[in-house]
Amino acid sequence: MYLVIAICASPLLFSYLAYYVIKPTGRTNYGTLLDPRLYPMPKLNAQLLGETSAVQELDAYKGKWIMLEVISSDCAKQCQKSLYDMRQLRLTQGKDMDRIERVVLITDQQPLETMLLREHDGAHFLRIDPKVLQAWLPVEDGTTMQDRLYLIDPLGNLMMRYSVDADPNKIKKDIIKLLKASSIG
């Protein structure tokens, strides 16, 4: 009888030990978590590139996860690789890829290469005043907004940032965990 009681009580005992005694030592996310209260989403008054050229706000994409990148019109090799990685990160989500929108903010008034728009069909390219972004997006000393990939949750909260040259496989794992844990978006 004691053996049966010990077998039945052992999962409870092990779960108690795992939760209260053995604490995880590492962090589980790859990106840098941001406090959304410090970075409320401003009105961007961004101009959507394309046929309509209408004024667009990020609120238009609320309800979906947003991968946000800031570029200049002369998108060099690193910029193109980053846009490619962003596209592939969305595609690797399989059936959940419709929960993610790609938004690219352009900070100057120079024309953007048409081929870049075609290669990244489905991404939303918005032209924006860089002063608005500087007041909103956080950067560390020695970096710029163009050095980061930002993640915005379906409620419109800026919540995570990655380095542009971050490992896409690790970012993918973060996104998979977020989409699995999130019932919105």
Side-chain angles (χ1 to χ4, degrees), residues 59-152:
D59 290 344
Y61 310 113
K62 268 192 176 176
K64 293 193 176 196
W65 290 88
I66 301 172
M67 284 192 291
L68 181 80
E69 185 161 356
V70 179
I71 67 169
S72 60
S73 296
D74 60 340
C75 190
K77 193 168 191 105
Q78 177 63 32
C79 168
Q80 291 177 11
K81 181 193 177 307
S82 179
L83 289 174
Y84 172 80
D85 288 345
M86 193 165 66
R87 182 181 69 200
Q88 295 305 105
L89 282 168
R90 181 180 174 271
L91 290 174
T92 59
Q93 299 308 312
K95 65 181 171 77
D96 286 332
M97 76 180 202
D98 292 333
R99 296 174 65 187
I100 301 171
E101 289 291 340
R102 296 172 293 142
V103 176
V104 181
L105 301 178
I106 304 162
T107 58
D108 56 20
Q109 296 299 320
Q110 302 301 318
L112 192 64
E113 190 176 317
T114 308
M115 195 63 183
L116 192 65
L117 292 170
R118 287 189 182 148
E119 285 177 7
H120 301 286
D121 189 35
H124 306 280
F125 287 86
L126 306 172
R127 197 170 299 276
I128 187 165
D129 182 12
K131 292 177 187 136
V132 174
L133 288 181
Q134 287 171 348
W136 176 44
L137 296 176
V139 294
E140 298 97 12
D141 292 336
T143 62
T144 64
M145 295 174 293
Q146 284 89 353
D147 297 335
R148 301 284 171 224
L149 172 68
Y150 296 93
L151 194 60
I152 300 172

Side-chain angles (χ1 to χ4, degrees), residues 13 21 37 54 60 111 135:
L13 180 63
V21 179
R37 296 172 297 175

Side-chain angles (χ1 to χ4, degrees), residues 1-29:
M1 184 165 104
Y2 290 120
L3 181 62
V4 172
I5 292 173
I7 291 173
C8 292
S10 64
L12 182 63
L13 180 63
F14 287 128
S15 67
Y16 177 83
L17 284 172
Y19 188 77
Y20 290 107
V21 179
I22 305 169
K23 304 255 185 216
T25 56
R27 65 182 220 193
T28 60
N29 57 304

Side-chain angles (χ1 to χ4, degrees), residues 44-48 53-57:
L44 299 178
N45 294 323
Q47 180 185 9
L48 181 65
S53 296
V55 172
Q56 185 82 42
E57 296 294 334

